[in-house]
Amino acid sequence: MKPTRPGVLVGLLVVFAIITWALLKPLYSSLPTVPWTAIPTVLLLAVGEIYSGWMTKARIERRGDTKPVEPLAVARLAALAKASAYGGAIFGGIFAGFTLYTAELLDQGVPRRDFLITGGSFVVCVLLVCAALYLEYCCKVPKDSSEEDR
């Protein structure tokens, strides 16, 4: 599996932001208000991935009293990190599109509420992408010192 390229994630975010912004022009008035529950949910996912990355790296490097980590567990964590990075970029783009659209309507009550919620959701999605990239980095197998000497 190749490492996730941040440029692809930024591209996904921008494309989904543009598509969402364009779709909201005719549809925004018929949509329900945006729920606030995405913010704590995605934040908990990001914190969990940061902690998993930190513990996995410690176990791979066999620091302290940590037990060795199973290779299959590391592969699963790497797959989770890759999926979270892409999912966070896509949903971050959707929330960015909402934020951009509602920024024009801040003088109204409901769009101002949606702006704050989608802005917060965008921020935690970016945090999730960063956490996923960190977890993916922590899942790398360290180079063997005997291979470097050759």
Side-chain angles (χ1 to χ4, degrees):
M1 182 175 5
K2 293 183 181 179
T4 303
R5 296 187 341 217
V8 173
L9 299 176
V10 170
L12 279 171
L13 191 139
V14 169
V15 167
F16 274 87
I18 292 169
I19 290 170
T20 302
W21 179 81
L23 287 174
L24 286 176
K25 289 266 185 202
L27 299 175
Y28 181 73
S29 61
S30 64
L31 293 175
T33 59
V34 178
W36 59 269
T37 53
I39 297 171
T41 304
V42 176
L43 185 61
L44 283 173
L45 288 170
V47 168
E49 289 196 16
I50 290 169
Y51 179 74
S52 295
W54 179 66
M55 286 304 297
T56 302
K57 189 162 182 63
R59 289 178 70 184
I60 287 174
E61 294 174 353
R62 306 234 170 105
R63 280 190 255 149
D65 293 337
T66 60
K67 292 189 249 177
V69 65
E70 292 289 326
L72 187 58
V74 175
R76 288 178 178 156
L77 285 173
L80 170 69
K82 201 162 195 66
S84 295
Y86 283 104
I90 290 169
F91 281 106
I94 292 170
F95 287 126
F98 261 92
T99 304
L100 291 172
Y101 181 78
T102 54
E104 303 167 357
L105 308 169
L106 288 177
D107 55 338
Q108 301 169 22
V110 173
R112 182 175 40 251
R113 179 183 179 279
D114 286 349
F115 173 80
L116 294 173
I117 291 171
T118 57
S121 299
F122 168 73
V123 169
V124 295
C125 281
V126 170
L127 181 63
L128 176 63
V129 170
C130 294
L133 291 175
Y134 173 71
L135 176 59
E136 187 177 315
Y137 168 77
C138 290
C139 290
K140 283 185 178 179
V141 176
K143 294 191 183 210
D144 192 15
S145 60
S146 61
E147 287 179 14
E148 291 176 0
D149 293 339
R150 286 185 222 165

